[in-house]
């Protein structure tokens, strides 16, 4: 009644009965951790919190004083606290999100997990989400789950502020997943700043230099973020490449759950091989 829980299998029963899931799912899930926003709650009654950008301990002191005097704030505070704690418990439940155990909660991980469960074997999921799943120390089981389904991974850094509401140093990716697990085999491009680099790189002849993260603009003589396409920016990652990465960076012999490092060009993979 309060949260309007949505069950895809019940709302779209004919899709699951006739097709065993959806053919396509596309989205940009929320990139947020579930936690009590104490500063946000208190600032509604004391704007000084945001104006002075107070630290968490300072907010806590003010909150304790306000809670003693303001019954309305106390009710809101406890409702929000119950929501945050209950939601974290649900998201952390092994029966709800087995592959996310031990990781810091973030809604995009839950939506990625759910999306792969509601897609049929011939379907595909396309999501824009952060890169934390690839370097989380506790994310081995999740990486084992997603690597056999990952088909395209395009990693961006937000330096050109394509997402104006997040920090310019934020890393995120465009990801295409298959509904059916298979041999690990996906296209990978790292260090992107604009989507045009993707299409250009996939049809590039291979002539010329790849360039680094920045290249010199001959007209302005200033260093700019490299958005030029190149064939060698496109790296195909299989189990063999993941094994090489695991051995190089983690002293591990198998790469099925290894952390995915940034690979600027195929030359980097060749260096790892040697």
């Amino acid at each position: 009644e309060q949260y309007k829980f949505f069950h895809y299998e019940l709302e779209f029963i004919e899709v699951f009965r006739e097709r065993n899931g959806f053919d396509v799912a596309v989205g940009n899930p929320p990139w947020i951790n579930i936690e009590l926003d104490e500063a946000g709650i208190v600032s509604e009654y004391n704007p000084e919190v945001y104006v002075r950008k107070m630290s968490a301990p300072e907010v806590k002191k003010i909150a304790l004083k306000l809670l003693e005097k303001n019954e309305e704030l106390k009710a809101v505070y406890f409702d929000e606290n119950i929501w945050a704690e209950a939601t974290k418990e649900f998201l952390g439940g092994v029966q709800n999100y087995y592959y996310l155990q031990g990781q810091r909660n973030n809604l995009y991980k839950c939506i990625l997990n759910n999306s792969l469960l509601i897609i049929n074997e011939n379907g595909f999921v396309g999501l824009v989400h952060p890169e934390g799943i690839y370097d989380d120390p506790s994310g081995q089981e999740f990486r084992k789950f997603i690597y056999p389904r990952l088909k395209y991974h395009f990693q961006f850094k937000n330096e050109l502020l394509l997402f104006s509401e997040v920090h310019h140093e934020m890393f995120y990716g465009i990801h295409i997943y298959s509904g059916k697990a298979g041999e690990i085999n996906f296209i990978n491009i790292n260090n992107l700043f604009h989507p045009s680099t993707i299409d250009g790189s996939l049809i590039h002849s291979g002539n010329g230099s790849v360039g680094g993260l920045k290249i010199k603009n001959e007209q302005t003589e200033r260093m700019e973020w490299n958005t030029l396409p190149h064939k060698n920016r496109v790296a195909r990652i299989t189990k063999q490449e993941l094994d090489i990465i695991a051995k190089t960076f983690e002293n591990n012999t198998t790469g099925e759950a290894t952390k995915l490092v940034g690979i600027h060009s195929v030359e980097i993979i060749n260096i790892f091989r040697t």
Side-chain angles (χ1 to χ4, degrees):
E1 189 65 27
Q2 181 176 358
Y3 293 112
K4 311 295 183 185
F5 294 115
F6 191 89
H7 299 277
Y8 283 92
E9 293 86 349
L10 296 178
E11 296 292 336
F12 299 101
I13 189 171
E14 70 283 359
V15 173
F16 290 88
R17 184 179 61 234
E18 298 172 11
R19 304 187 63 84
N20 200 31
F22 294 97
D23 295 325
V24 177
V26 181
N28 177 12
W31 309 354
I32 56 173
N33 300 314
I34 299 299
E35 56 189 2
L36 177 66
D37 183 12
E38 194 167 35
I41 297 171
V42 175
S43 67
E44 292 293 324
Y45 297 85
N46 189 339
E48 184 182 12
V49 168
Y50 265 155
V51 173
R52 296 193 175 184
K53 298 181 179 179
M54 291 184 177
S55 64
E58 291 175 321
V59 174
K60 177 70 72 175
K61 289 181 180 179
I62 293 177
L64 291 174
K65 293 179 180 178
L66 289 175
L67 288 172
E68 293 177 356
K69 304 176 182 178
N70 192 318
E71 289 299 322
E72 182 182 4
L73 172 60
K74 184 184 291 186
V76 171
Y77 186 92
F78 280 107
D79 283 346
E80 289 294 317
N81 194 50
I82 291 171
W83 169 82
E85 291 302 316
T87 303
K88 284 193 289 185
E89 286 296 320
F90 179 84
L91 300 182
V94 65
Q95 73 278 19
N96 299 322
Y97 293 97
Y98 168 77
Y99 295 109
L100 302 182
Q101 294 306 295
Q103 301 183 51
R104 186 181 184 191
N105 78 76
N106 196 302
L107 285 182
Y108 85 83
K109 296 179 183 179
C110 301
I111 291 174
L112 168 56
N113 182 95
N114 291 348
S115 298
L116 292 174
L117 296 178
I118 64 172
I119 294 294
N120 62 47
E121 288 193 344
N122 297 317
F124 291 91
V125 176
L127 295 177
V128 180
H129 63 69
E131 296 283 295
I133 57 175
Y134 298 117
D135 59 14
D136 193 308
S138 301
Q140 292 93 338
E141 289 299 320
F142 201 32
R143 288 191 285 273
K144 276 186 184 179
F145 178 62
I146 64 173
Y147 279 153
R149 294 168 171 79
L150 185 60
K151 296 302 177 186
Y152 294 92
H153 170 232
F154 304 127
Q155 181 220 47
F156 287 79
K157 191 178 181 185
N158 198 39
E159 292 290 354
L160 300 184
L161 295 179
L162 300 183
F163 285 94
S164 59
E165 65 273 21
V166 299
H167 198 277
H168 71 96
E169 292 187 345
M170 178 72 179
F171 286 96
Y172 63 90
I174 295 175
H175 305 78
I176 309 295
Y177 302 94
S178 170
K180 183 179 181 179
E183 296 293 326
I184 297 175
N185 189 342
F186 61 91
I187 296 295
N188 184 83
I189 306 180
N190 287 97
N191 301 327
L192 291 164
F193 301 101
H194 195 276
S196 62
T197 309
I198 300 172
D199 288 338
S201 296
L202 292 173
I203 62 173
H204 193 268
S205 65
N207 295 325
S209 172
V210 172
L213 294 181
K214 283 191 171 185
I215 57 175
K216 186 176 181 180
N217 185 320
E218 298 299 335
Q219 295 181 335
T220 63
E221 296 189 347
R222 298 179 60 183
M223 298 299 290
E224 297 179 350
W225 296 109
N226 183 5
T227 61
L228 295 179
H230 198 282
K231 180 181 180 180
N232 289 353
R233 292 291 304 276
V234 183
R236 182 171 291 279
I237 305 297
T238 67
K239 176 66 162 52
Q240 182 182 17
E241 282 71 34
L242 290 181
D243 286 346
I244 293 170
I245 292 171
K247 183 178 179 181
T248 304
F249 292 95
E250 299 180 19
N251 196 26
N252 198 345
T253 56
T254 178
E256 62 182 1
T258 191
K259 298 176 183 178
L260 187 63
V261 300
I263 301 168
H264 187 69
S265 67
V266 294
E267 288 85 354
I268 301 297
I269 287 288
N270 294 333
I271 292 173
F272 293 162
R273 285 195 176 97
T274 59

